[in-house]
Each structure stands twice: as C-alpha cells, then as structure tokens.
Amino acid sequence: MQARIRVVVAKPGLDGHDRGAKVVARALRDAGMEVVYTGLHQTPEQIVETAIQEDADAIGLSVLSGAHMTLFRRVIELLAERDASDVVVFGGGIIPADDITELEKLGVAHIFTPGATTASIVEWVRANVSSPVA
C-alpha cells in the first residue's frame, strides 16, 4: 500500500502574498495528499527543518518577491547538507523563463508560472513525487 504524498508548501522570504500558496495547498490536500503550510516569511532553514521533521516527500515554494534565485538555491543547498536531496523541490511565482532554466540546473524539479491550473499542479505532483510504501 502506497503512503500518501507529504508536501510542505512554503512562502520564503519577505513576500507577503500567500493566496496562491494557500490555493495550491488546498488543491493538494483535496487530492488526498498530506500538506503542511508553513505560513509567511519563512527562512530556507525553517522550511527545510519543517520538511525533515514532517518527513516530506516534496517542498512547494511560492515566490513572488523576485528573490527566487537566492531562496530556491538555499533550500536546495540545505537539503543536500541535511542528506535530504531526495525531497523534490518545485515552485511557482513570477519567475522569468531564463531563471526557470537556471533553477532547473540547480535541482528545482519544476516551476509553475501564473496561469497554471491547480489540476495541472496536482497531476504533476502525483506523476513526479513518490511516497514510501506504508
């Protein structure tokens, strides 16, 4: 029996707009996943600590502030330092196409841009994030 996918949804940095993150968290939850929403103004360190404590399969980051290169990079680095590189990192926000390519090179699995449907996000997570066998 497959365990439910566990996802930490987080808003790193100083960005104070979390409606999109809450909509995604609810869609993932409604699709049967376990979701932990960390709230606003989280540091990469807090996000990674939550993911490890919650035994998360994935971290979904929402960044609208323009600090995506720094914040995503730091989360990826911290996961590697904590021997948790198997946690899938994906995200969304206002992110230029050139930066998406760079983020993918860093190890970010996918970036959803404005207009992505919650159904497409749920489908992607189901297809690309695995949970351990219960």
Side-chain angles (χ1 to χ4, degrees), residues 24-118:
V24 169
R26 184 176 188 142
L28 295 172
R29 185 203 67 201
D30 289 351
M33 297 176 208
E34 290 186 42
V35 179
V36 174
Y37 174 61
T38 64
L40 291 168
H41 310 301
Q42 299 295 296
T43 66
E45 291 80 5
Q46 290 170 316
I47 294 164
V48 169
E49 185 61 32
T50 298
I52 289 169
Q53 286 180 1
E54 295 292 336
D55 197 23
D57 303 303
I59 297 173
L61 299 172
S62 172
V63 181
L64 301 172
S65 66
H68 49 272
M69 294 304 292
T70 302
L71 295 168
F72 277 88
R73 176 181 284 114
R74 186 66 181 138
V75 168
I76 296 287
E77 290 170 350
L78 289 166
L79 286 169
E81 288 173 17
R82 299 288 301 269
D83 197 28
S85 294
D86 60 328
V87 176
V88 176
V89 177
F90 67 97
I94 312 283
I95 300 175
D98 289 345
D99 288 352
I100 292 172
T101 301
E102 289 302 311
L103 290 169
E104 289 171 346
K105 287 179 186 175
L106 290 173
V108 177
H110 193 74
I111 297 292
F112 294 94
T113 54
T117 65
T118 55

